[in-house]
């Protein structure tokens, strides 16, 4: 939020974060790819709590870079929209907007496909992970449905 001069209660877009990273990141290209990867994950698991305070940055040698990821949650309710937009989209069409966002992040088509494929594959492992760690089957089923829906949308958009 500080990176783009944002304020609580206002709406923002991942594009604004990408534009600021170009000026402020220690390694803009690497940080832009991380931003794309995080946006892809938020879409894949329907993490609608993706506000800017959950995109932490660390200052290192006078420049900014992403902190380790934190506060990422699956939202089982597909009617909820994302807090942070991708090209203005916060709802069901956010997967389509992610394709355009890859260009802003200078990821390239094939790299974007690879990142999304990896993210989708990892996201689909959440049910097995939850089961292994003692989550109730009803909760697993509820969360897995949202993940499968969003992952299928990403696969369609990215031709996976």
């Amino acid at each position: 939020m500080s990176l783009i001069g944002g304020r609580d209660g206002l709406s923002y877009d991942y594009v604004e974060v990408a534009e600021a990273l170009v000026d402020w990141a220690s390694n803009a290209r690497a940080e832009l790819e991380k931003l794309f990867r995080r946006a892809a994950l938020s879409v894949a698991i329907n993490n609608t709590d993706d506000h800017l305070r959950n995109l932490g940055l660390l200052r290192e040698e006078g420049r900014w870079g992403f902190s380790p990821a934190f506060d990422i949650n699956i939202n089982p309710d597909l009617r909820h929209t994302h807090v942070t937009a991708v090209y203005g989209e916060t709802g069901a069409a956010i997967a389509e907007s992610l394709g355009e966002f890859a260009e802003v992040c200078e990821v390239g088509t094939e790299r974007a496909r690879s990142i999304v494929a990896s993210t989708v594959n990892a996201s689909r492992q959440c049910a097995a992970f939850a089961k292994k760690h003692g989550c109730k089957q009803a909760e697993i089923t509820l969360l897995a449905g949202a993940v499968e829906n969003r992952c299928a949308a990403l696969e369609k958009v990215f031709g996976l």
Side-chain angles (χ1 to χ4, degrees):
M1 186 175 287
S2 296
L3 181 71
I4 65 168
R7 293 190 349 229
D8 282 324
L10 299 179
S11 298
Y12 296 99
D13 198 299
Y14 280 103
V15 173
E16 294 171 274
V17 176
E19 290 169 348
L21 281 173
V22 170
D23 294 331
W24 292 98
S26 56
N27 180 344
R29 189 169 209 77
E31 297 308 317
L32 287 169
E33 184 172 307
K34 288 177 190 176
L35 180 63
F36 178 78
R37 186 178 297 276
R38 288 181 190 209
L41 177 61
S42 282
V43 172
I45 67 168
N46 201 40
N47 172 35
T48 58
D49 188 35
D50 57 348
H51 56 81
L52 295 183
R53 289 193 187 278
N54 287 344
L55 285 176
L57 298 168
L58 298 173
R59 189 141 172 96
E60 189 175 301
E61 298 179 17
R63 304 295 281 173
W64 293 98
F66 278 109
S67 69
F70 60 92
D71 199 11
I72 299 172
N73 302 288
I74 300 169
N75 186 338
D77 189 344
L78 294 171
R79 296 171 298 179
H80 284 196
T81 59
H82 289 257
V83 174
T84 302
V86 176
Y87 265 105
E89 182 59 50
T90 59
I94 199 167
E96 288 86 1
S97 297
L98 198 62
E100 294 176 61
F101 186 57
E103 293 176 28
V104 171
C105 291
E106 302 174 12
V107 175
T109 304
E110 287 308 311
R111 184 69 182 139
R113 288 183 78 217
S114 174
I115 289 169
V116 170
S118 159
T119 302
V120 164
N121 290 337
S123 297
R124 284 189 167 133
Q125 299 304 311
C126 72
F129 182 84
K131 184 174 184 171
K132 178 181 175 182
H133 292 281
C135 289
K136 295 178 183 171
Q137 187 57 48
E139 293 171 354
I140 293 170
T141 301
L142 180 68
L143 298 176
V147 170
E148 183 53 38
N149 178 286
R150 298 290 71 217
C151 285
L154 285 169
E155 286 177 325
K156 182 177 178 183
V157 169
F158 286 88
L160 304 174

